[in-house]
Amino acid sequence: MTLAVQALAPLPAVPGVGLTCHVATWFWAAQEAQALGLCPVKPALTTLGNIGAMAAQPEILALTRSGNWNFGITPTTPTAGCVLLWPLGGTHSAVVTAANAITGYNQVVQFPAFIGNVGHTTGAPAQLAANQRVCVVISEATIVARAAALDL
């Protein structure tokens, strides 16, 4: 599988673990790390519990970045499997799941069309809010390797 494929599956609910965008991104990266044999396979609820116990937002903000992306200049998505990160203000992360498809949780700031839906959603770059067209790109390899190192 790939991170893009992992992100197509909604997360299972775990009491006490908020399903935020960063939790979802880490979960999908951990699932991919496990599928690749980079760390031991764990039940999904164990992985979510491990992510719930870590500092998901600071960890994702600390990842090495591959560059910036401006949908105002390049209206299509980068490569499927990349993580898109909006690091300022209310931070947000999501995964490019296909050409022109961005999947994540709690995407209402980035995609106003999703107001009222904080769950698992997929939007197109054309749906991004005008002030949300610039983001940072994190490679699939970077986040999957970090998820493996954290043994999520």
Side-chain angles (χ1 to χ4, degrees), residues 24-39:
T25 301
W26 279 116
F27 178 78
W28 295 321
Q31 293 289 96
E32 184 60 14
Q34 292 170 23
L36 292 172
L38 302 175
C39 60

Side-chain angles (χ1 to χ4, degrees), residues 19-126:
L19 296 182
T20 67
C21 60
H22 300 312
V23 167
T25 301
W26 279 116
F27 178 78
W28 295 321
Q31 293 289 96
E32 184 60 14
Q34 292 170 23
L36 292 172
L38 302 175
C39 60
V41 174
K42 298 168 196 65
L45 297 181
T46 300
T47 298
L48 277 171
N50 292 342
I51 295 166
M54 72 182 252
Q57 180 179 355
E59 282 285 348
I60 210 160
L61 291 171
L63 289 171
T64 301
R65 298 166 183 190
S66 299
N68 297 315
W69 199 266
N70 184 336
F71 287 102
I73 296 170
T74 306
T76 58
T77 55
T79 307
C82 290
V83 173
L84 302 181
L85 174 66
W86 287 262
L88 304 174
T91 66
H92 179 65
S93 62
V95 176
V96 176
T97 49
N100 296 319
I102 302 167
T103 301
Y105 274 75
N106 304 331
Q107 300 200 95
V108 297
V109 171
Q110 286 67 36
F111 297 93
F114 297 145
I115 290 178
N117 182 357
V118 296
H120 186 251
T121 56
T122 299

